[in-house]
Amino acid sequence: MDFFSLLYYRFKKVWKAVRLYLVIAGPGLVVMIADNDAGGITTYAATGAKYGYHLIWFLLLLIPVAYYVQEMTVRLGAVTKRGHAEAIFESFGAFWGWFSLLDLMIVDWLTLVTEFVGMTAALSIFGVPAWLTVILVVLLMSIIVLNGRYWTWEKIALGFCLLNLIYIPAAFMVNPSIADIANHGLIPNLPGGLTNELFFLLMANIGTTIAPWMLFFQQSSVVDKGLQEKDIKMGKIDTFIGAIITVAIAIFIVIVTGTLLNGAPIDDAATAAKLLMKTNHYVGAFMAVGLFDAGLLGAICISLASSWAFGEIFGWAHSLNTKVKEAPWFYISFIFTLITAGVVPLIPGAPLVLITLFVQVVAVTLLPAALVFLILLLNDKKTMGEYANTRFQNIISSVIVGSIIILSTMYGVSALFPNIFQ
Amino acid sequence: MRTINQFFSKIREINQRYAKPTVEMSRGVKFSLAVLRVYLFLLVVLMVYKFITVINVV
């Protein structure tokens, strides 16, 4: 075989793999990028404003953390063809099943409220009233979901994922010092020592990287998309690329706020956008658009995670490939969750701070349980066969899950008792 | 009334369907579930304590 034939053969092989990836890509990318939801953007903006580029190295560590946890849901979904809620019910019985389902419902609804808070705050910067934002979002999300095809929904969601990359041009527009990023950001360091404030922010970054709804969403999404065992490899690549993109976006947000708002007190991403507008109008506008998009993506995935889980357990038709007539309860639960959560930010004097606090605490009750169930299910050789966790995977995932449980518990407890670790 | 009855009969049906866990209850699984119960119990105690403290302050 001559050189050019070999080159052509290699190109055809790679192109075939790329095309296959493009068919299978979706659940991993969407879940990972949606992970940078309104709460996540706030956490990254606050991290950059408080500590500049100093914690970029820590964000890089979150790539394997997010990947190893989420790739387990790909295998579980592709092999069992069941969502996470159904898998817990069937494998561990009704007690743990109800506990997980009800906890998921509460966490998802509360998180959805925070997404609406983020979206209304983002568009208020452009003069859009909160009530109009809520109506537009509910209408837009209903249209996206009610089209009756998983593929269409996924492509639209991927379009919103693309918009999430808006932080990359924003970071270039603020002209950061590459030398400072490399010197301060890439070498592990704890600026000012491990203070209570720094510890809280590190835990918040971990908390926003792995959320309970992500496990339920990705597994159900893999099942709804119809991925098979043979697709697991590409599904894992999809998840890995998603993990890299989500952390890259987080780093670009840190660069933006670390460059322009270093030392400014940032309580939420909307405040960051307003402050950025005073320095650079376009960067501030990008921040606000990114916040709205993040809230929208988060809301799309979170409300679907709940509806899928309920459909699995109650035996309703629960696929995005079904029409409204064929799966009325699936769509009713989706829109009901959306509307009730969207109304909350419009209530004058609604306890939004308390809700944000409560999200962190309730998530701590669900996350450890969901992660422990995940590892136990991946060790069930009878069901998983050759796709069960290997010894190496068990060591890695146990260390990651153990660390997440300890840190998220400390995060939740410190949210309940703010002075406990001082 | 009929809808409520239907709802509860659905719950009973789900409870029956998933009454028996299918995962093999090895020592590791039993231990993990026991630790999870203790962990969740302690968290609930903390939350109730916080709730009572807040109520007393108000």
Side-chain angles (χ1 to χ4, degrees):
Chain A
M1 200 181 279
D2 62 36
F3 175 73
F4 288 106
S5 302
L6 191 69
L7 201 66
Y8 179 70
Y9 172 73
R10 286 270 162 84
F11 171 77
K12 288 278 280 184
K13 204 173 164 186
V14 170
W15 180 235
K16 193 180 167 189
V18 170
R19 277 168 56 196
L20 182 63
Y21 170 72
L22 291 176
V23 171
I24 290 168
L29 282 177
V30 173
V31 76
M32 286 295 184
I33 297 174
D35 179 36
N36 284 342
D37 61 352
I41 304 294
T42 293
T43 306
Y44 304 134
T47 303
K50 181 74 190 168
Y51 294 105
Y53 309 141
H54 288 275
L55 295 179
I56 287 176
W57 63 272
F58 182 76
L59 292 172
L60 288 170
L61 290 182
L62 298 178
I63 294 175
V65 172
Y67 168 73
Y68 273 104
V69 171
Q70 289 302 130
E71 73 85 21
M72 287 195 277
T73 66
V74 176
R75 278 186 281 147
L76 198 54
V79 172
T80 62
K81 313 286 185 291
R82 292 189 311 232
H84 202 55
E86 196 179 353
I88 293 172
F89 261 92
E90 197 160 307
S91 299
F92 301 101
F95 170 77
W96 287 113
W98 285 118
F99 164 78
S100 301
L101 189 66
L102 296 177
D103 222 354
L104 177 76
M105 189 185 76
I106 296 168
V107 178
D108 279 3
W109 189 83
L110 291 170
T111 315
L112 206 52
V113 173
T114 65
E115 307 299 354
F116 272 103
V117 171
M119 285 187 281
T120 50
L123 289 197
S124 73
I125 292 170
F126 302 110
V128 181
W131 62 268
L132 187 59
T133 305
V134 170
I135 291 173
L136 287 175
V137 166
V138 171
L139 278 176
L140 180 66
M141 285 177 58
S142 303
I143 292 167
I144 295 170
V145 166
L146 293 174
N147 74 76
R149 271 178 65 88
Y150 176 90
W151 281 86
T152 315
W153 169 85
E154 191 182 84
K155 296 298 167 269
I156 296 171
L158 284 171
F160 286 118
C161 288
L162 213 59
L163 189 58
N164 215 258
L165 302 178
I166 199 166
Y167 296 105
I168 299 174
F172 281 102
M173 284 162 74
V174 301
N175 294 318
S177 160
I178 305 295
D180 282 352
I181 292 172
N183 291 333
H184 300 153
L186 299 182
I187 299 161
N189 68 102
L190 296 173
L194 191 58
T195 59
N196 196 43
E197 201 174 9
L198 175 62
F199 189 57
F200 195 79
L201 210 53
L202 292 178
M203 288 193 286
N205 275 286
I206 295 171
T208 193
T209 305
I210 293 294
W213 64 264
M214 293 170 67
L215 308 177
F216 289 83
F217 174 85
Q218 192 170 6
Q219 193 170 328
S220 295
S221 182
V222 162
V223 175
D224 206 354
K225 186 160 183 169
L227 296 192
Q228 309 288 323
E229 282 95 329
K230 63 182 170 59
D231 303 322
I232 286 176
K233 191 179 168 189
M234 283 295 173
K236 286 163 87 167
I237 292 173
D238 183 41
T239 308
F240 186 65
I241 293 173
I244 292 173
I245 294 175
T246 193
V247 170
I249 292 170
I251 290 172
F252 281 109
I253 296 169
V254 167
I255 290 173
V256 171
T257 56
T259 307
L260 293 185
L261 303 177
N262 205 344
I266 300 294
D267 290 329
D268 59 83
T271 309
K274 282 176 197 161
L275 289 173
L276 284 169
M277 271 191 164
K278 289 178 187 164
T279 322
N280 184 323
H281 183 80
Y282 290 107
V283 174
F286 280 17
M287 186 66 146
V289 170
L291 175 62
F292 173 77
D293 181 60
L296 189 69
L297 256 178
I300 290 173
C301 297
I302 291 164
S303 44
L304 265 180
S306 293
S307 301
W308 266 323
F310 268 96
E312 288 159 15
I313 303 311
F314 280 84
W316 309 329
H318 56 275
S319 170
L320 286 170
N321 286 317
T322 51
K323 300 282 178 203
V324 180
K325 274 184 185 173
E326 296 160 348
W329 288 109
F330 173 64
Y331 291 109
I332 286 172
S333 68
F334 173 81
I335 291 171
F336 178 77
T337 314
L338 209 57
I339 292 174
T340 51
V343 164
V344 176
L346 304 180
I347 300 170
L352 299 178
V353 176
L354 196 68
I355 287 173
T356 311
L357 191 80
F358 203 55
V359 169
Q360 294 162 1
V361 177
V362 180
V364 163
T365 62
L366 179 58
L367 188 61
L371 289 172
V372 167
F373 291 144
L374 190 62
I375 292 190
L376 294 179
L377 288 166
L378 264 295
N379 277 286
D380 186 6
K381 292 204 165 45
K382 196 173 69 184
T383 311
M384 293 302 295
E386 61 177 300
Y387 297 102
N389 267 2
T390 60
R391 187 183 290 267
F392 175 73
Q393 283 170 326
N394 269 335
I395 292 169
I396 297 261
S397 53
S398 298
V399 169
I400 289 173
V401 166
S403 309
I404 291 174
I405 290 174
I406 292 168
L407 292 171
S408 67
T409 304
M410 291 170 84
Y411 184 48
V413 171
S414 63
L416 274 176
F417 307 97
N419 300 321
I420 198 165
F421 295 119
Q422 277 179 356
Chain B
M1 195 66 191
R2 200 176 151 208
T3 317
I4 295 170
N5 283 340
Q6 279 178 336
F7 177 74
F8 280 107
S9 74
K10 186 77 187 169
I11 302 283
R12 276 194 296 275
E13 183 200 315
I14 292 169
N15 285 340
Q16 276 174 355
R17 198 190 325 151
Y18 298 113
K20 206 171 169 228
T22 57
V23 78
E24 191 190 332
M25 284 291 166
S26 62
R27 281 160 93 183
V29 174
K30 279 182 186 167
F31 176 75
S32 304
L33 295 180
V35 170
L36 207 53
R37 276 177 207 268
V38 174
Y39 170 84
L40 292 170
F41 178 75
L42 289 176
L43 268 184
V44 170
V45 168
L46 275 179
M47 276 191 237
V48 171
Y49 172 75
K50 177 71 181 180
F51 182 72
I52 292 168
T53 321
V54 171
I55 293 288
N56 283 341
V57 170
V58 173

